[in-house]
Amino acid sequence: VEYVADESDGVVKIFVERDLSWSDSRFSVGYSTSDLSAIGVDSTKFEECMSVPSPNRDGCGDYEQSSGEVTFAAGEQHAYFVIRIMDDRCNEDHLEYVQLSLHQIGGSPLRGEGYRAQLRIDDDDWPENELTITSCTGGIG
């Protein structure tokens, strides 16, 4: 599965589905993000970057690294978690991908096609905005 978000979306919901034949009780599964070609930053850095205007977000990464648990209520087939996306004014000429992984709480990663997904973050700094786009190389810290 590939989820797609535009930089300007700010957040993206990642939906997880379970088989209804196993849905008679509450169930939790762990999730985490990891860099592929996108660059993740921790929550402290993400918050620091959000406090400055988007043209000054050079070096702020592409998304907030996250991990946690998503819980299905009894009888519930779908649940979701949220990943925050960084909007900057940097012209990025390549696709940016984040690995999305599920794992057993307190255990190993879940393996197989049904447990693997990625998030593609599309740049929103298109050529028609040429006067406001910069090629970023530094950072705010």
Side-chain angles (χ1 to χ4, degrees):
V1 173
E2 181 175 285
Y3 294 87
V4 179
D6 190 75
E7 247 183 18
S8 62
D9 291 343
V11 298
V12 60
K13 289 182 178 180
I14 306 297
F15 285 87
V16 182
E17 180 179 352
R18 72 171 171 171
D19 187 333
L20 279 178
S21 61
W22 299 96
S23 69
D24 59 344
S25 63
R26 181 179 168 93
F27 177 73
S28 294
V29 64
Y31 70 87
S32 62
T33 61
S34 56
D35 296 359
L36 290 173
S37 55
I39 298 170
V41 296
D42 64 27
S43 296
T44 302
K45 177 75 170 185
F46 194 91
E47 290 299 329
E48 176 186 344
C49 288
M50 292 302 290
S51 69
V52 299
S54 63
N56 300 335
R57 292 183 183 161
D58 184 16
C60 287
D62 302 306
Y63 73 100
E64 179 184 27
Q65 297 166 330
S66 60
S67 64
E69 296 178 10
V70 61
T71 300
F72 297 87
E76 190 174 50
Q77 184 177 12
H78 298 94
Y80 69 89
F81 58 94
V82 173
I83 298 174
R84 296 195 298 172
I85 306 297
M86 181 60 61
D87 189 11
D88 58 23
R89 297 301 296 161
C90 300
N91 187 9
E92 295 147 333
D93 58 359
H94 63 280
L95 297 175
E96 298 171 323
Y97 287 95
V98 178
Q99 179 68 43
L100 307 173
S101 301
L102 298 177
H103 63 273
Q104 298 172 2
I105 305 293
S108 62
L110 299 172
R111 303 208 187 276
E113 287 301 311
Y115 306 106
R116 188 173 78 84
Q118 58 189 17
L119 167 63
R120 186 182 84 212
I121 303 171
D122 291 343
D123 189 18
D124 66 344
D125 303 311
W126 308 109
E128 62 266 16
N129 298 330
E130 217 169 296
L131 294 176
T132 59
I133 297 173
T134 59
S135 179
C136 302
T137 56
I140 65 164

